[in-house]
């Protein structure tokens, strides 16, 4: 009754589904290394980081709009102008460097990782890039609908700049923006429902927006993008910076990934998406995770995945953490926050170990014996619910205990809510009558509370 061919717990965790890292697509030729891009992003956000540190130390409590005296104190302490402080504070909030909890400013996870994590820096800058229209508000007097149409049209302008790989003249950008804004304006024009009076004799339709307004919107957009370091402005032309070029490529790559979703689960809830991925092979499954994540704000996606992980389906619990591996650094604080939940703690420990660079085959070493046993039962529950009989029998090999009696003793003690069902299913599936009898006895003891 000795277990044979013991395998690492990491292998058992992959018994139901295995996910491997898909090589990341390469950015366009000539794109600087990530370390250099991160250095440039740190330069763009240098004032914001200084103000975030100052505010997070408790020197600037209060929710926006902040009192003028707070900006004055910050300007004095940091040797900046009040306008620079106000701008830096807005950038710090938009980049996720500070978080407001009531009337208290706290450092965001990106600020804590700023000096050591290039990915955190680049994500912070991309968040600022996405918020360019908030960093540089539109001129007063422009109708909000026109502003919204311009913001929605800017990605096409950026795509032209990226494809051109060099300076693009303002007239060319103006022509593209005018066409796209006109298309968006036309799409928003709805035909009233129900009987309508016949239209008046043919009249030429008014232009979506006057040319002067489109030119003003283009100037505003280019200045806003330049303000966040995405492009530089010259005499009659604009050019993407290396950071801007990289960011536009990232956005286009995300759109391509979403468009190539193999299982069509982008619009589904996290639970339905994970179920749709359960039988996919590793590459398509990760592509599906990436597509689903690309269509959502990171924070809400992580929260939804962890919500699924807290449910009763052990298969979805494991798959949720596989999807969180695709998220990477932004998920770290939330994963750490669930360490106190007994049902999630083993998964969180393994996630964090792998995030810190531990080989997945060695990650199980971070688990205590009790945590490893709990995870063995949870994985067995997933196999029993969704897998094949033979897979459940083979799952015995992955237990950390050396013998079946030792495994059964520790399984009885661990207190997993699915212990009885797992043992009953294992006893029914195992071809060895003596072992099956011992497992059934253990199931009965757990069920009746006996020793």
């Amino acid at each position: 009754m000795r277990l044979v061919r013991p395998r690492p717990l990491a292998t058992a965790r992959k018994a139901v589904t295995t996910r491997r890292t898909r090589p990341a697509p390469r950015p366009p030729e000539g794109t600087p290394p990530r370390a250099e891009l991160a250095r440039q992003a740190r330069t763009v956000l240098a004032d914001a980081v200084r103000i975030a540190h100052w505010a997070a130390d408790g020197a600037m409590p209060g929710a926006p709009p902040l009192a003028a005296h707070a900006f004055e104190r910050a300007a004095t302490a940091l040797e900046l102008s009040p306008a620079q402080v106000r701008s830096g504070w807005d950038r710090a909030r938009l980049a996720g460097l500070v978080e407001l909890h009531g009337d208290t400013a706290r450092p965001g996870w990106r600020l804590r990782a700023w000096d050591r994590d290039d990915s955190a820096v680049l994500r912070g800058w991309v968040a600022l890039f996405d918020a360019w229209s908030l960093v540089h508000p539109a001129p007063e007097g422009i109708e909000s609908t026109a502003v919204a149409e311009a913001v929605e049209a800017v990605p096409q302008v950026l795509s032209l700049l990226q494809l051109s790989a060099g300076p693009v003249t303002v007239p060319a950008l103006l022509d593209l923006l005018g066409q796209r804004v006109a298309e968006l304006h036309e799409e928003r024009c709805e035909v009233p429902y129900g009987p309508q009076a016949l239209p008046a004799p043919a009249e030429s339709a008014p232009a979506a927006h006057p040319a002067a307004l489109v030119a003003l919107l283009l100037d505003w957009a280019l200045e806003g993008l330049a303000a966040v370091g995405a492009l530089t402005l010259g005499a009659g032309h604009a050019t993407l910076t290396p950071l801007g070029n990289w960011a536009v490529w990232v956005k286009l790559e995300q759109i391509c990934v979403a468009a190539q979703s193999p299982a069509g689960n982008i619009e589904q809830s996290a639970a339905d998406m994970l179920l749709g991925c359960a039988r996919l092979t590793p590459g398509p499954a990760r592509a599906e995770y990436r597509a689903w994540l690309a269509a959502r704000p990171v924070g809400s996606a992580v929260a939804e995945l962890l919500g699924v992980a807290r449910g009763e389906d052990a298969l979805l619990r494991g798959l949720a953490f596989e999807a969180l591996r695709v998220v990477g650094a932004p998920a770290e604080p939330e994963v750490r926050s669930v360490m106190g939940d007994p049902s999630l703690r083993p998964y969180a420990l393994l996630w964090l170990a792998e995030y810190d660079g531990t080989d997945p085959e060695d990650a199980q070493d971070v688990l205590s014996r009790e945590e490893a046993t709990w995870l063995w039962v949870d994985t067995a529950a997933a196999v029993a619910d969704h897998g094949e009989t033979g897979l459940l029998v083979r799952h015995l090999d992955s237990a950390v205990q050396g013998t079946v009696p030792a495994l059964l003793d520790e399984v009885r003690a661990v207190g997993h809510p699915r212990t009885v069902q797992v043992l009953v299913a294992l006893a029914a599936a195992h071809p060895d009558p003596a072992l099956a009898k011992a497992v059934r006895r253990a199931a009965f003891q757990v069920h009746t509370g006996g020793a």
Side-chain angles (χ1 to χ4, degrees):
M1 294 179 66
R2 177 174 294 277
L3 299 178
V4 295
R5 301 190 312 278
R7 296 178 296 172
L9 187 62
T11 303
R13 181 168 51 81
K14 298 173 184 176
V16 178
T17 179
T18 301
R19 304 289 182 257
R20 301 184 188 277
T21 303
R22 185 185 72 170
R26 293 182 177 274
E29 186 176 354
T31 302
R34 286 178 68 84
E36 171 59 21
L37 290 171
R39 186 196 66 76
Q40 295 177 17
R42 286 185 175 98
T43 300
V44 172
L45 284 162
D47 286 350
V49 170
R50 292 180 62 200
I51 293 166
H53 278 300
W54 188 80
D57 288 339
M60 186 185 279
L66 298 174
H69 66 82
F71 287 113
E72 293 172 359
R73 286 192 293 109
T76 301
L78 301 174
E79 298 182 348
L80 298 171
S81 70
Q84 287 176 312
V85 172
R86 188 178 298 273
S87 173
W89 171 251
D90 288 341
R91 289 165 179 252
R93 291 177 55 237
L94 293 170
L97 298 170
V98 291
E99 300 172 354
L100 292 177
H101 297 264
D103 59 356
T104 303
R106 297 178 186 172
W109 71 268
R110 288 187 180 122
L111 183 63
R112 294 192 293 270
W114 196 256
D115 294 329
R116 59 178 173 81
D117 190 340
D118 288 348
S119 293
V121 173
L122 290 173
R123 286 179 181 273
W125 182 83
V126 169
L128 183 70
F129 168 72
D130 289 339
W132 67 267
S133 60
L134 302 178
V135 173
H136 187 68
E140 294 183 3
I142 300 180
E143 187 179 320
S144 59
T145 301
V147 172
E149 289 170 351
V151 171
E152 193 172 344
V154 160
Q156 277 70 28
V157 173
L158 290 169
S159 295
L160 175 60
L161 286 162
Q162 202 259 352
L163 290 171
S164 299
V168 178
T169 63
V170 169
L173 297 174
L174 185 60
D175 183 57
L176 176 61
L177 182 67
Q179 290 181 28
R180 183 58 183 146
V181 165
E183 292 171 359
L184 293 169
H185 187 78
E186 184 176 352
E187 290 172 4
R188 286 189 172 90
C189 291
E190 299 180 354
V191 177
Y193 178 77
Q196 300 294 321
L198 293 174
E203 294 181 4
S204 58
H209 298 296
L213 176 57
V214 176
L216 182 61
L217 290 169
L218 177 65
D219 289 344
W220 164 62
L222 294 179
E223 290 168 2
L225 292 164
V228 298
L231 53 78
T232 57
L233 299 176
H237 65 265
T239 309
L240 285 177
T241 64
L243 268 177
N245 187 69
W246 170 81
V248 175
W249 171 78
V250 168
K251 299 295 181 183
L252 292 172
E253 184 67 22
Q254 289 176 345
I255 293 171
C256 291
V257 168
Q260 295 170 1
S261 167
N265 288 307
I266 295 175
E267 300 301 327
Q268 301 296 323
S269 66
D272 290 340
M273 181 274 293
L274 293 172
L275 283 175
C277 293
R279 297 192 181 279
L280 294 178
T281 54
R286 289 185 67 85
E288 191 73 3
Y289 297 152
R290 292 182 189 279
W292 187 85
L293 291 163
R296 289 160 177 77
V298 174
S300 61
V302 170
E304 190 174 352
L305 288 169
L306 287 175
V308 171
R310 291 186 178 93
E312 297 181 358
D313 193 323
L315 174 62
L316 292 186
R317 187 158 29 253
L319 291 174
F321 276 86
E322 294 296 342
L324 288 169
R325 284 174 173 79
V326 174
V327 179
E332 180 187 4
E334 296 302 321
V335 171
R336 290 190 184 279
S337 73
V338 302
M339 295 276 283
D341 186 329
S343 66
L344 300 186
R345 179 176 174 81
Y347 292 95
L349 286 170
L350 291 172
W351 190 98
L352 291 167
E354 294 179 26
Y355 172 72
D356 290 336
T358 303
D359 189 288
E361 297 299 321
D362 300 325
Q364 78 279 357
D365 294 340
V366 304
L367 301 180
S368 68
R369 182 83 162 210
E370 182 179 1
E371 291 162 348
T373 304
W374 194 99
L375 186 56
W376 185 92
V377 179
D378 206 50
T379 305
V383 177
D385 289 343
H386 301 277
E388 300 175 355
T389 300
L391 195 59
L392 183 60
V393 174
R394 291 195 298 275
H395 183 52
L396 268 176
D397 299 342
S398 68
V400 296
Q401 293 79 6
T403 64
V404 170
L407 169 64
L408 295 178
D409 285 343
E410 295 187 31
V411 164
R412 285 198 299 264
V414 79
H416 193 289
R418 295 291 304 280
T419 298
V420 173
Q421 293 94 323
V422 164
L423 292 178
V424 169
L426 181 59
H430 207 284
D432 185 334
L435 190 147
K437 181 179 180 179
V439 174
R440 276 195 300 271
R441 184 185 305 115
F444 178 77
Q445 291 171 341
V446 174
H447 178 65
T448 61

